[in-house]
Amino acid sequence: MNTFGRLLRLTSFGESHGPALGGVLDGVPAGFAIDEAAIEEALRRRQGGRSDLTTPRRESDKVRFLSGIYEGRTLGVPIAFVIDNADTRSQDYSQLSDLYRPGHADFTYQAKYGHRDPRGGGRASARETVVRVVAGAFCEQWLRAEGVHISAYLSQVGTVHYDDSHLYEAIHLTEGDKVLLQRRYEDVVPCPDKATAERMAAAVAEARDSRDSIGGVISCRVDGLPAGLGEPLYDKLSSRLASAMMGINAARGFEIGDGFALASEYGSAANDPFVPTEAGAIGQQTNHCGGLLGGISTGAPLTFRTAFKPTSSIGREQTTCRTDGTPTPLSITGRHDPCVALRAVPIVEAMTALTLMDFYLLHRAYSTAERG
């Protein structure tokens, strides 16, 4: 489907090499002041062509709003927007129209629809995520007004790991940790630790220079969420987050809190004891659950990780088949990211924001109905 969300709904349209991509964001409350500079900054973080570690394709990514905003404030009606495609080189894909690229959606799109757009992957291209970043930037602004802060960052590239336990596991961040997260976008590699970012950059460059690609992991931490967001049983915040992250191109794994590591633990170590807080409320002593119990937020930081596979388009020779079944060697040329995870960090933040704002609106709708 091309629509995400329930009360807050994003419908996207467009292909990688079509005239434009765009979206309709419906459900944003009226009267909210929009910071367009913040939207432009979110788009810049996702942009290619900013370094030799990303695709050379450099789109301006200027968003044009067609409806839903007047004098800088939302009107409560659908917000429609488009982003023009300009830096396309469709000729790079002419040789791929009658074969199936390994790792790509060429084969499955052909099997499903019987017809496909081979230029840059068409609808299956990660270029579509520019729409999600625009919509997510709206939601992030709305959530910040509610005291919610979303921070995603690279925690792994290939075999290079960033020890982020002080960021990922802590119930309360130190001032130093907050500064680290604020600086995560200062380098081309969005990792809070500069030394680790440099080693990650070297790993990406090595893959690029060998005409190969490399995978990565993005960690995300959300502070300021209240307890009670999420719906049992089939609309859990955990399941909707998983759907949001796994809907991002090249995402291949998802875990909340300690995730798969909990499979090797005892319950006595995995459970998070409840304790009284200084403010007189109830809190958690630890956060192995990642801020969710029963699919509903606990009020502790929401933490999760998403794993991204290596970019499928590589210059090394591979074997594949043409559409008629004829085996053929393939070396992919053109402009591609050697590590898609580098540019996926703002996309993870955008999809997190879309998911959380939707649950905020659902929670308020039910609360209002109960009071009525």
Side-chain angles (χ1 to χ4, degrees):
M1 302 296 289
N2 299 294
T3 299
F4 179 84
R6 290 183 58 187
L7 289 187
L8 182 75
R9 297 178 300 279
L10 171 66
T11 300
S12 74
F13 60 86
E15 296 85 43
S16 177
H17 285 231
L21 293 111
V24 177
L25 183 63
D26 196 6
V28 177
F32 185 72
I34 294 299
D35 181 355
E36 292 195 28
I39 297 173
E40 292 175 1
E41 175 60 20
L43 287 169
R44 186 195 65 80
R45 291 170 176 172
R46 182 207 158 277
Q47 234 173 11
R50 295 175 51 228
S51 86
D52 58 3
L53 298 181
T54 63
T55 173
R57 180 174 177 177
R58 182 68 182 266
E59 295 284 358
S60 63
D61 285 347
K62 294 296 183 183
V63 60
R64 291 186 290 127
F65 294 104
L66 308 180
S67 68
I69 302 173
Y70 179 68
E71 294 183 341
R73 292 182 178 273
T74 56
L75 293 169
V77 301
I79 299 168
F81 57 91
V82 293
I83 305 102
D84 292 327
N85 288 328
D87 188 19
T88 58
R89 288 194 340 208
S90 300
Q91 66 273 15
D92 290 348
Y93 298 89
S94 58
Q95 65 180 25
L96 305 176
S97 60
D98 67 339
L99 56 78
Y100 299 123
R101 295 170 296 170
H104 283 274
D106 300 341
F107 175 80
T108 50
Y109 267 56
Q110 187 76 31
K112 182 175 179 63
Y113 299 108
H115 183 59
R116 64 183 172 91
D117 180 357
R119 303 169 303 167
R123 183 71 176 154
S125 170
R127 174 72 183 142
E128 181 273 340
T129 59
V130 69
V131 177
R132 311 186 203 191
V133 171
V134 172
F138 270 87
C139 299
E140 282 196 73
Q141 292 178 43
W142 190 90
L143 289 166
R144 279 198 297 271
E146 299 290 328
V148 177
H149 298 275
I150 302 170
S151 303
Y153 53 91
L154 266 179
S155 55
Q156 181 181 341
V157 168
T159 59
V160 180
H161 293 258
Y162 171 45
D163 182 5
D164 65 341
S165 56
H166 58 299
L167 298 178
Y168 191 78
E169 299 174 4
I171 295 290
H172 301 288
L173 292 174
T174 67
E175 289 303 315
D177 288 339
K178 292 177 182 178
V179 171
L180 275 179
L181 286 175
Q182 290 169 358
R183 292 177 176 173
R184 67 193 183 281
Y185 282 116
E186 289 185 355
D187 295 313
V188 173
V189 177
C191 175
D193 181 70
K194 192 172 184 63
T196 307
E198 290 175 353
R199 291 192 292 121
M200 289 178 173
V204 174
E206 182 180 0
R208 178 204 61 205
D209 294 344
S210 60
R211 301 170 66 198
D212 214 328
S213 61
I214 196 168
V217 175
I218 294 174
S219 297
C220 187
R221 176 187 173 105
V222 182
D223 289 283
L225 281 182
L229 295 184
E231 308 297 329
L233 292 169
Y234 302 112
D235 211 10
K236 296 180 178 182
L237 179 51
S238 48
S239 60
R240 290 278 299 281
L241 272 173
S243 176
M245 296 306 126
M246 294 304 292
I248 300 173
N249 307 65
R252 283 296 179 271
F254 177 77
E255 66 176 7
I256 294 174
D258 287 357
F260 287 97
L262 292 175
S264 60
E265 288 285 2
Y266 289 102
S268 55
N271 287 339
D272 299 305
F274 288 104
V275 293
T277 67
E278 294 180 359
I282 301 295
Q284 294 175 207
Q285 191 173 46
T286 55
N287 193 26
H288 303 297
C289 68
L292 294 172
L293 291 172
I296 299 172
S297 61
T298 66
L302 171 64
T303 57
F304 60 89
R305 291 188 173 101
T306 308
F308 290 84
K309 70 175 183 176
T311 313
S312 297
S313 292
I314 58 174
R316 285 195 174 188
E317 185 172 291
Q318 305 172 81
T319 57
T320 189
C321 284
R322 296 195 178 276
T323 53
D324 63 2
T326 305
T328 183
L330 173 66
S331 296
I332 296 179
T333 59
R335 302 172 296 174
H336 307 285
D337 288 281
C339 179
V340 295
L342 263 67
R343 293 170 58 211
V345 173
I347 304 167
V348 166
E349 291 181 339
M351 294 307 297
T352 303
L354 280 160
T355 304
L356 293 179
M357 184 172 172
D358 194 19
F359 272 104
Y360 257 93
L361 296 177
L362 284 165
H363 186 70
R364 291 181 177 181
Y366 291 149
S367 299
T368 301
E370 291 171 0
R371 288 197 301 270

